[in-house]
Amino acid sequence: MAAGELNVYNWGNYTSPEMIKKFEEKYDVKVNLDGYDSNEAMLAKVKAGDTGYDIVVPGDYMIKVMIGEGLLEEVKPNEMENFKNVDPNWVDVWWDPGRNYSIPYQWGTTSFTVDTAIYDGEIDTLALLFDPPEALKGRINMLNDMNDVINAGLRYLGYGRCNGNQDELREVLALLSKAKPHWRTMDYAVIEKLTSKDVDISQSWNGAAMRARAQRPTLKYAYPKEGFTGWMDNVAVLKGAPNLDNAKLFINFMMDPENAGMTSNFARYANGILGSDKFMEPEMLSAPEIVMPASAPAPDFVTPCPQEVVDLYNKIWTQLKQ
């Protein structure tokens, strides 16, 4: 029987209260939850030190960065009892080959969602964000995320990701700068922006799009022909975690199909744990935000870019945000 505390640092509005309650009751552990809104914000706080956090939930590329910088504890999930439940497709991943540091949490895509009652034309194109029709001008929210915005611009222009070509990047900056007056906001609070009708179209993660559609049924998630991002968030333990044993219990707990299903029912994404579908609400197994149409391009999992490319992106982002 465990006892004590566990300090979890996860994306905001992304942790099932029901699942946390179950963990607390099972192990007599008090879970404290804190939130962030970007991989970069989380990394900055962790690098500043002395956070007291045990568990973090970084995206794929950020896991690789944090392993490289010695910020994660090698807890060997691959030797834990419940590891047998991890879908083999998500074991030998480029960010943590063989899973020595992390396990799948949720995975999905980043595209955009649009209110089809406001705009009833073709939605599967990034043109809606960068060269919007009259009905959507001034009604657009973009994610306040450098990579998601720049990658969308690169895709729209037909250029590769992790792009160090300065001529192509100048074109991207021109595209984004020209589109920016049509954007109402740049904000991570996608669900809130859409459900309050503050905007009619927003860059969005697919699970957030599904949660917003529950309150605004005319919303539709797009699979743009120019492409979109695929991603996986992963549960990992911080180096020097004050409650290391409880953190390991939590990692094993999260690989249990019922607990992974609870997370998916709340956050509205797929999870990478075999057998979890038996515990997922039926609509999750057929939702258009989760089940991609055959016509959609394959999601593009973007690997970490070299530092010189990141520096160029930072310059574009700084200019765009002025």
Side-chain angles (χ1 to χ4, degrees), residues 28-70:
D28 190 27
V29 168
K30 169 85 177 79
V31 175
N32 305 303
L33 187 62
D34 213 347
Y36 52 85
D37 65 7
S38 76
N39 279 297
E40 287 67 27
M42 178 271 296
L43 180 67
K45 188 154 184 182
V46 168
K47 285 174 80 164
D50 201 26
T51 61
Y53 298 131
D54 303 298
I55 293 284
V56 283
V57 190
D60 39 46
Y61 73 94
M62 188 53 71
I63 288 276
K64 189 166 177 66
V65 168
M66 293 178 81
I67 292 171
E69 295 193 16

mmCIF file of all heavy atoms in Angstrom, residues 28-70:
data_model
loop_
_atom_site.group_PDB
_atom_site.id
_atom_site.type_symbol
_atom_site.label_atom_id
_atom_site.label_comp_id
_atom_site.label_asym_id
_atom_site.label_seq_id
_atom_site.Cartn_x
_atom_site.Cartn_y
_atom_site.Cartn_z
ATOM 1 N N ASP A 28 -4.056 5.400 -1.749
ATOM 2 C CA ASP A 28 -4.026 6.337 -0.626
ATOM 3 C C ASP A 28 -3.004 7.449 -0.864
ATOM 4 O O ASP A 28 -2.241 7.828 0.024
ATOM 5 C CB ASP A 28 -3.710 5.576 0.684
ATOM 6 C CG ASP A 28 -3.914 6.465 1.914
ATOM 7 O OD1 ASP A 28 -4.739 7.400 1.828
ATOM 8 O OD2 ASP A 28 -3.238 6.235 2.935
ATOM 9 N N VAL A 29 -2.981 7.943 -2.100
ATOM 10 C CA VAL A 29 -2.035 8.994 -2.489
ATOM 11 C C VAL A 29 -2.830 10.254 -2.842
ATOM 12 O O VAL A 29 -3.831 10.182 -3.556
ATOM 13 C CB VAL A 29 -1.198 8.547 -3.711
ATOM 14 C CG1 VAL A 29 -0.425 9.722 -4.303
ATOM 15 C CG2 VAL A 29 -0.243 7.427 -3.322
ATOM 16 N N LYS A 30 -2.386 11.384 -2.319
ATOM 17 C CA LYS A 30 -3.024 12.669 -2.662
ATOM 18 C C LYS A 30 -2.369 13.211 -3.932
ATOM 19 O O LYS A 30 -1.156 13.431 -3.963
ATOM 20 C CB LYS A 30 -2.826 13.650 -1.493
ATOM 21 C CG LYS A 30 -3.201 15.089 -1.807
ATOM 22 C CD LYS A 30 -4.701 15.319 -1.600
ATOM 23 C CE LYS A 30 -5.066 16.768 -1.828
ATOM 24 N NZ LYS A 30 -5.187 17.122 -3.254
ATOM 25 N N VAL A 31 -3.162 13.384 -4.982
ATOM 26 C CA VAL A 31 -2.626 13.892 -6.248
ATOM 27 C C VAL A 31 -2.847 15.402 -6.337
ATOM 28 O O VAL A 31 -3.967 15.892 -6.156
ATOM 29 C CB VAL A 31 -3.290 13.197 -7.457
ATOM 30 C CG1 VAL A 31 -2.806 13.813 -8.767
ATOM 31 C CG2 VAL A 31 -2.993 11.698 -7.446
ATOM 32 N N ASN A 32 -1.764 16.130 -6.596
ATOM 33 C CA ASN A 32 -1.837 17.576 -6.831
ATOM 34 C C ASN A 32 -1.594 17.819 -8.311
ATOM 35 O O ASN A 32 -0.623 17.330 -8.872
ATOM 36 C CB ASN A 32 -0.776 18.297 -5.998
ATOM 37 C CG ASN A 32 -0.905 17.950 -4.524
ATOM 38 O OD1 ASN A 32 -1.948 18.146 -3.933
ATOM 39 N ND2 ASN A 32 0.153 17.392 -3.932
ATOM 40 N N LEU A 33 -2.499 18.584 -8.930
ATOM 41 C CA LEU A 33 -2.455 18.774 -10.385
ATOM 42 C C LEU A 33 -2.188 20.236 -10.720
ATOM 43 O O LEU A 33 -2.823 21.129 -10.179
ATOM 44 C CB LEU A 33 -3.804 18.339 -10.979
ATOM 45 C CG LEU A 33 -3.943 18.299 -12.493
ATOM 46 C CD1 LEU A 33 -2.983 17.299 -13.118
ATOM 47 C CD2 LEU A 33 -5.378 17.932 -12.875
ATOM 48 N N ASP A 34 -1.216 20.442 -11.618
ATOM 49 C CA ASP A 34 -0.896 21.784 -12.080
ATOM 50 C C ASP A 34 -0.873 21.744 -13.611
ATOM 51 O O ASP A 34 -0.576 20.695 -14.190
ATOM 52 C CB ASP A 34 0.481 22.194 -11.531
ATOM 53 C CG ASP A 34 0.560 23.684 -11.246
ATOM 54 O OD1 ASP A 34 -0.342 24.406 -11.691
ATOM 55 O OD2 ASP A 34 1.530 24.112 -10.599
ATOM 56 N N GLY A 35 -1.177 22.876 -14.256
ATOM 57 C CA GLY A 35 -1.323 22.859 -15.712
ATOM 58 C C GLY A 35 -0.392 23.796 -16.458
ATOM 59 O O GLY A 35 0.065 24.804 -15.922
ATOM 60 N N TYR A 36 -0.118 23.445 -17.711
ATOM 61 C CA TYR A 36 0.635 24.326 -18.627
ATOM 62 C C TYR A 36 -0.074 24.330 -19.970
ATOM 63 O O TYR A 36 -0.960 23.497 -20.216
ATOM 64 C CB TYR A 36 2.090 23.871 -18.769
ATOM 65 C CG TYR A 36 2.313 22.419 -19.130
ATOM 66 C CD1 TYR A 36 2.298 21.990 -20.457
ATOM 67 C CD2 TYR A 36 2.546 21.456 -18.142
ATOM 68 C CE1 TYR A 36 2.504 20.658 -20.788
ATOM 69 C CE2 TYR A 36 2.758 20.115 -18.469
ATOM 70 C CZ TYR A 36 2.740 19.725 -19.798
ATOM 71 O OH TYR A 36 2.950 18.404 -20.113
ATOM 72 N N ASP A 37 0.314 25.278 -20.847
ATOM 73 C CA ASP A 37 -0.383 25.355 -22.136
ATOM 74 C C ASP A 37 0.531 25.141 -23.336
ATOM 75 O O ASP A 37 0.084 25.233 -24.479
ATOM 76 C CB ASP A 37 -1.172 26.668 -22.273
ATOM 77 C CG ASP A 37 -0.265 27.900 -22.299
ATOM 78 O OD1 ASP A 37 0.972 27.742 -22.353
ATOM 79 O OD2 ASP A 37 -0.802 29.020 -22.282
ATOM 80 N N SER A 38 1.816 24.853 -23.094
ATOM 81 C CA SER A 38 2.687 24.507 -24.217
ATOM 82 C C SER A 38 3.859 23.679 -23.725
ATOM 83 O O SER A 38 4.266 23.783 -22.561
ATOM 84 C CB SER A 38 3.203 25.760 -24.935
ATOM 85 O OG SER A 38 4.218 26.385 -24.184
ATOM 86 N N ASN A 39 4.414 22.860 -24.626
ATOM 87 C CA ASN A 39 5.605 22.076 -24.301
ATOM 88 C C ASN A 39 6.739 22.985 -23.836
ATOM 89 O O ASN A 39 7.472 22.676 -22.899
ATOM 90 C CB ASN A 39 6.055 21.291 -25.534
ATOM 91 C CG ASN A 39 5.260 20.024 -25.752
ATOM 92 O OD1 ASN A 39 5.281 19.124 -24.928
ATOM 93 N ND2 ASN A 39 4.557 19.947 -26.868
ATOM 94 N N GLU A 40 6.857 24.126 -24.507
ATOM 95 C CA GLU A 40 7.966 25.035 -24.215
ATOM 96 C C GLU A 40 7.831 25.677 -22.834
ATOM 97 O O GLU A 40 8.823 25.840 -22.115
ATOM 98 C CB GLU A 40 8.073 26.110 -25.311
ATOM 99 C CG GLU A 40 8.621 25.605 -26.640
ATOM 100 C CD GLU A 40 7.717 24.611 -27.387
ATOM 101 O OE1 GLU A 40 6.479 24.645 -27.209
ATOM 102 O OE2 GLU A 40 8.258 23.790 -28.158
ATOM 103 N N ALA A 41 6.589 26.017 -22.455
ATOM 104 C CA ALA A 41 6.352 26.594 -21.119
ATOM 105 C C ALA A 41 6.703 25.570 -20.041
ATOM 106 O O ALA A 41 7.331 25.893 -19.024
ATOM 107 C CB ALA A 41 4.900 27.040 -20.981
ATOM 108 N N MET A 42 6.317 24.321 -20.276
ATOM 109 C CA MET A 42 6.634 23.249 -19.333
ATOM 110 C C MET A 42 8.144 23.064 -19.212
ATOM 111 O O MET A 42 8.697 22.986 -18.108
ATOM 112 C CB MET A 42 5.961 21.951 -19.800
ATOM 113 C CG MET A 42 6.235 20.728 -18.933
ATOM 114 S SD MET A 42 7.711 19.823 -19.429
ATOM 115 C CE MET A 42 7.247 19.276 -21.064
ATOM 116 N N LEU A 43 8.835 23.034 -20.350
ATOM 117 C CA LEU A 43 10.293 22.828 -20.341
ATOM 118 C C LEU A 43 10.993 23.949 -19.577
ATOM 119 O O LEU A 43 11.896 23.694 -18.765
ATOM 120 C CB LEU A 43 10.818 22.766 -21.780
ATOM 121 C CG LEU A 43 12.328 22.560 -21.911
ATOM 122 C CD1 LEU A 43 12.744 21.181 -21.417
ATOM 123 C CD2 LEU A 43 12.793 22.754 -23.364
ATOM 124 N N ALA A 44 10.565 25.179 -19.834
ATOM 125 C CA ALA A 44 11.199 26.329 -19.164
ATOM 126 C C ALA A 44 11.052 26.217 -17.646
ATOM 127 O O ALA A 44 12.002 26.462 -16.897
ATOM 128 C CB ALA A 44 10.580 27.627 -19.665
ATOM 129 N N LYS A 45 9.861 25.819 -17.194
ATOM 130 C CA LYS A 45 9.636 25.716 -15.754
ATOM 131 C C LYS A 45 10.472 24.586 -15.148
ATOM 132 O O LYS A 45 11.069 24.743 -14.080
ATOM 133 C CB LYS A 45 8.145 25.482 -15.479
ATOM 134 C CG LYS A 45 7.797 25.568 -14.000
ATOM 135 C CD LYS A 45 6.351 25.972 -13.779
ATOM 136 C CE LYS A 45 6.052 26.158 -12.307
ATOM 137 N NZ LYS A 45 4.655 26.494 -12.051
ATOM 138 N N VAL A 46 10.528 23.454 -15.857
ATOM 139 C CA VAL A 46 11.312 22.312 -15.365
ATOM 140 C C VAL A 46 12.804 22.670 -15.306
ATOM 141 O O VAL A 46 13.497 22.366 -14.337
ATOM 142 C CB VAL A 46 11.075 21.067 -16.260
ATOM 143 C CG1 VAL A 46 12.089 19.968 -15.969
ATOM 144 C CG2 VAL A 46 9.647 20.543 -16.056
ATOM 145 N N LYS A 47 13.292 23.356 -16.337
ATOM 146 C CA LYS A 47 14.723 23.711 -16.376
ATOM 147 C C LYS A 47 15.079 24.737 -15.319
ATOM 148 O O LYS A 47 16.213 24.791 -14.855
ATOM 149 C CB LYS A 47 15.102 24.214 -17.775
ATOM 150 C CG LYS A 47 15.206 23.074 -18.778
ATOM 151 C CD LYS A 47 15.441 23.566 -20.188
ATOM 152 C CE LYS A 47 16.893 23.908 -20.415
ATOM 153 N NZ LYS A 47 17.171 24.018 -21.867
ATOM 154 N N ALA A 48 14.096 25.549 -14.929
ATOM 155 C CA ALA A 48 14.361 26.535 -13.866
ATOM 156 C C ALA A 48 14.629 25.829 -12.534
ATOM 157 O O ALA A 48 15.260 26.385 -11.638
ATOM 158 C CB ALA A 48 13.174 27.487 -13.744
ATOM 159 N N GLY A 49 14.140 24.593 -12.411
ATOM 160 C CA GLY A 49 14.494 23.752 -11.263
ATOM 161 C C GLY A 49 13.561 23.875 -10.076
ATOM 162 O O GLY A 49 12.764 24.821 -9.973
ATOM 163 N N ASP A 50 13.661 22.870 -9.197
ATOM 164 C CA ASP A 50 12.963 22.889 -7.910
ATOM 165 C C ASP A 50 11.455 23.058 -8.056
ATOM 166 O O ASP A 50 10.830 23.826 -7.323
ATOM 167 C CB ASP A 50 13.550 24.019 -7.045
ATOM 168 C CG ASP A 50 13.249 23.781 -5.565
ATOM 169 O OD1 ASP A 50 13.061 22.610 -5.193
ATOM 170 O OD2 ASP A 50 13.191 24.764 -4.802
ATOM 171 N N THR A 51 10.851 22.344 -9.007
ATOM 172 C CA THR A 51 9.405 22.487 -9.221
ATOM 173 C C THR A 51 8.608 21.645 -8.228
ATOM 174 O O THR A 51 7.457 21.956 -7.937
ATOM 175 C CB THR A 51 9.003 21.992 -10.629
ATOM 176 O OG1 THR A 51 9.349 20.604 -10.746
ATOM 177 C CG2 THR A 51 9.703 22.783 -11.718
ATOM 178 N N GLY A 52 9.206 20.554 -7.744
ATOM 179 C CA GLY A 52 8.469 19.630 -6.888
ATOM 180 C C GLY A 52 7.574 18.676 -7.658
ATOM 181 O O GLY A 52 6.896 17.839 -7.072
ATOM 182 N N TYR A 53 7.543 18.802 -8.994
ATOM 183 C CA TYR A 53 6.700 17.915 -9.799
ATOM 184 C C TYR A 53 7.323 16.524 -9.921
ATOM 185 O O TYR A 53 8.549 16.373 -9.957
ATOM 186 C CB TYR A 53 6.482 18.489 -11.203
ATOM 187 C CG TYR A 53 5.766 19.805 -11.239
ATOM 188 C CD1 TYR A 53 6.253 20.884 -11.991
ATOM 189 C CD2 TYR A 53 4.576 19.986 -10.534
ATOM 190 C CE1 TYR A 53 5.591 22.099 -12.026
ATOM 191 C CE2 TYR A 53 3.904 21.206 -10.566
ATOM 192 C CZ TYR A 53 4.413 22.257 -11.314
ATOM 193 O OH TYR A 53 3.757 23.459 -11.350
ATOM 194 N N ASP A 54 6.460 15.522 -10.036
ATOM 195 C CA ASP A 54 6.899 14.147 -10.268
ATOM 196 C C ASP A 54 6.631 13.718 -11.710
ATOM 197 O O ASP A 54 7.493 13.173 -12.384
ATOM 198 C CB ASP A 54 6.135 13.188 -9.338
ATOM 199 C CG ASP A 54 6.308 13.553 -7.869
ATOM 200 O OD1 ASP A 54 7.453 13.522 -7.397
ATOM 201 O OD2 ASP A 54 5.302 13.879 -7.207
ATOM 202 N N ILE A 55 5.407 13.965 -12.155
ATOM 203 C CA ILE A 55 4.934 13.498 -13.470
ATOM 204 C C ILE A 55 4.796 14.681 -14.425
ATOM 205 O O ILE A 55 4.270 15.727 -14.050
ATOM 206 C CB ILE A 55 3.550 12.814 -13.316
ATOM 207 C CG1 ILE A 55 3.656 11.511 -12.502
ATOM 208 C CG2 ILE A 55 2.905 12.559 -14.679
ATOM 209 C CD1 ILE A 55 4.241 10.332 -13.217
ATOM 210 N N VAL A 56 5.277 14.494 -15.660
ATOM 211 C CA VAL A 56 5.025 15.474 -16.730
ATOM 212 C C VAL A 56 4.454 14.719 -17.937
ATOM 213 O O VAL A 56 4.598 13.501 -18.037
ATOM 214 C CB VAL A 56 6.291 16.241 -17.161
ATOM 215 C CG1 VAL A 56 6.658 17.317 -16.166
ATOM 216 C CG2 VAL A 56 7.465 15.284 -17.382
ATOM 217 N N VAL A 57 3.831 15.472 -18.854
ATOM 218 C CA VAL A 57 3.184 14.833 -20.010
ATOM 219 C C VAL A 57 3.606 15.538 -21.305
ATOM 220 O O VAL A 57 2.807 16.215 -21.953
ATOM 221 C CB VAL A 57 1.646 14.831 -19.843
ATOM 222 C CG1 VAL A 57 0.989 13.951 -20.909
ATOM 223 C CG2 VAL A 57 1.240 14.334 -18.453
ATOM 224 N N PRO A 58 4.878 15.383 -21.694
ATOM 225 C CA PRO A 58 5.379 16.099 -22.873
ATOM 226 C C PRO A 58 4.935 15.458 -24.187
ATOM 227 O O PRO A 58 4.674 14.258 -24.266
ATOM 228 C CB PRO A 58 6.907 15.976 -22.730
ATOM 229 C CG PRO A 58 7.159 15.442 -21.339
ATOM 230 C CD PRO A 58 5.934 14.660 -20.994
ATOM 231 N N GLY A 59 4.875 16.312 -25.232
ATOM 232 C CA GLY A 59 4.658 15.807 -26.580
ATOM 233 C C GLY A 59 5.867 15.019 -27.061
ATOM 234 O O GLY A 59 6.939 15.045 -26.450
ATOM 235 N N ASP A 60 5.693 14.324 -28.178
ATOM 236 C CA ASP A 60 6.716 13.419 -28.707
ATOM 237 C C ASP A 60 8.100 14.071 -28.814
ATOM 238 O O ASP A 60 9.083 13.600 -28.226
ATOM 239 C CB ASP A 60 6.267 12.847 -30.065
ATOM 240 C CG ASP A 60 5.549 13.861 -30.942
ATOM 241 O OD1 ASP A 60 6.029 15.003 -31.070
ATOM 242 O OD2 ASP A 60 4.489 13.509 -31.505
ATOM 243 N N TYR A 61 8.199 15.180 -29.576
ATOM 244 C CA TYR A 61 9.512 15.798 -29.786
ATOM 245 C C TYR A 61 10.115 16.301 -28.479
ATOM 246 O O TYR A 61 11.331 16.284 -28.286
ATOM 247 C CB TYR A 61 9.422 16.936 -30.821
ATOM 248 C CG TYR A 61 8.748 18.196 -30.323
ATOM 249 C CD1 TYR A 61 9.477 19.246 -29.793
ATOM 250 C CD2 TYR A 61 7.350 18.321 -30.386
ATOM 251 C CE1 TYR A 61 8.844 20.402 -29.334
ATOM 252 C CE2 TYR A 61 6.719 19.469 -29.915
ATOM 253 C CZ TYR A 61 7.471 20.497 -29.398
ATOM 254 O OH TYR A 61 6.847 21.628 -28.928
ATOM 255 N N MET A 62 9.236 16.722 -27.544
ATOM 256 C CA MET A 62 9.726 17.260 -26.271
ATOM 257 C C MET A 62 10.278 16.150 -25.373
ATOM 258 O O MET A 62 11.216 16.380 -24.601
ATOM 259 C CB MET A 62 8.620 18.050 -25.576
ATOM 260 C CG MET A 62 9.075 18.818 -24.342
ATOM 261 S SD MET A 62 10.519 19.912 -24.618
ATOM 262 C CE MET A 62 9.787 21.218 -25.616
ATOM 263 N N ILE A 63 9.723 14.942 -25.482
ATOM 264 C CA ILE A 63 10.303 13.796 -24.755
ATOM 265 C C ILE A 63 11.760 13.618 -25.191
ATOM 266 O O ILE A 63 12.659 13.453 -24.373
ATOM 267 C CB ILE A 63 9.493 12.502 -25.031
ATOM 268 C CG1 ILE A 63 8.139 12.552 -24.324
ATOM 269 C CG2 ILE A 63 10.296 11.261 -24.619
ATOM 270 C CD1 ILE A 63 8.141 12.132 -22.868
ATOM 271 N N LYS A 64 11.972 13.660 -26.509
ATOM 272 C CA LYS A 64 13.334 13.465 -27.042
ATOM 273 C C LYS A 64 14.280 14.554 -26.529
ATOM 274 O O LYS A 64 15.406 14.275 -26.114
ATOM 275 C CB LYS A 64 13.305 13.441 -28.571
ATOM 276 C CG LYS A 64 14.643 13.025 -29.188
ATOM 277 C CD LYS A 64 14.498 12.676 -30.646
ATOM 278 C CE LYS A 64 15.831 12.346 -31.283
ATOM 279 N NZ LYS A 64 16.424 11.103 -30.739
ATOM 280 N N VAL A 65 13.792 15.787 -26.544
ATOM 281 C CA VAL A 65 14.595 16.916 -26.046
ATOM 282 C C VAL A 65 14.947 16.692 -24.565
ATOM 283 O O VAL A 65 16.100 16.856 -24.141
ATOM 284 C CB VAL A 65 13.826 18.246 -26.224
ATOM 285 C CG1 VAL A 65 14.494 19.379 -25.458
ATOM 286 C CG2 VAL A 65 13.706 18.593 -27.711
ATOM 287 N N MET A 66 13.945 16.303 -23.766
ATOM 288 C CA MET A 66 14.151 16.175 -22.314
ATOM 289 C C MET A 66 15.045 14.984 -21.960
ATOM 290 O O MET A 66 15.837 15.057 -21.020
ATOM 291 C CB MET A 66 12.799 16.098 -21.597
ATOM 292 C CG MET A 66 12.016 17.406 -21.701
ATOM 293 S SD MET A 66 10.381 17.348 -20.933
ATOM 294 C CE MET A 66 10.798 17.619 -19.205
ATOM 295 N N ILE A 67 14.936 13.895 -22.727
ATOM 296 C CA ILE A 67 15.863 12.772 -22.519
ATOM 297 C C ILE A 67 17.283 13.251 -22.815
ATOM 298 O O ILE A 67 18.220 13.011 -22.044
ATOM 299 C CB ILE A 67 15.497 11.565 -23.420
ATOM 300 C CG1 ILE A 67 14.172 10.937 -22.978
ATOM 301 C CG2 ILE A 67 16.609 10.508 -23.388
ATOM 302 C CD1 ILE A 67 13.623 9.875 -23.933
ATOM 303 N N GLY A 68 17.433 13.971 -23.925
ATOM 304 C CA GLY A 68 18.752 14.485 -24.326
ATOM 305 C C GLY A 68 19.372 15.413 -23.299
ATOM 306 O O GLY A 68 20.592 15.447 -23.130
ATOM 307 N N GLU A 69 18.519 16.144 -22.590
ATOM 308 C CA GLU A 69 19.029 17.105 -21.596
ATOM 309 C C GLU A 69 19.091 16.513 -20.190
ATOM 310 O O GLU A 69 19.383 17.226 -19.224
ATOM 311 C CB GLU A 69 18.166 18.377 -21.613
ATOM 312 C CG GLU A 69 18.278 19.125 -22.947
ATOM 313 C CD GLU A 69 17.693 20.527 -22.904
ATOM 314 O OE1 GLU A 69 17.472 21.068 -21.796
ATOM 315 O OE2 GLU A 69 17.475 21.096 -23.993
ATOM 316 N N GLY A 70 18.802 15.208 -20.069
ATOM 317 C CA GLY A 70 18.909 14.545 -18.763
ATOM 318 C C GLY A 70 17.859 14.977 -17.758
ATOM 319 O O GLY A 70 18.096 14.980 -16.551
#
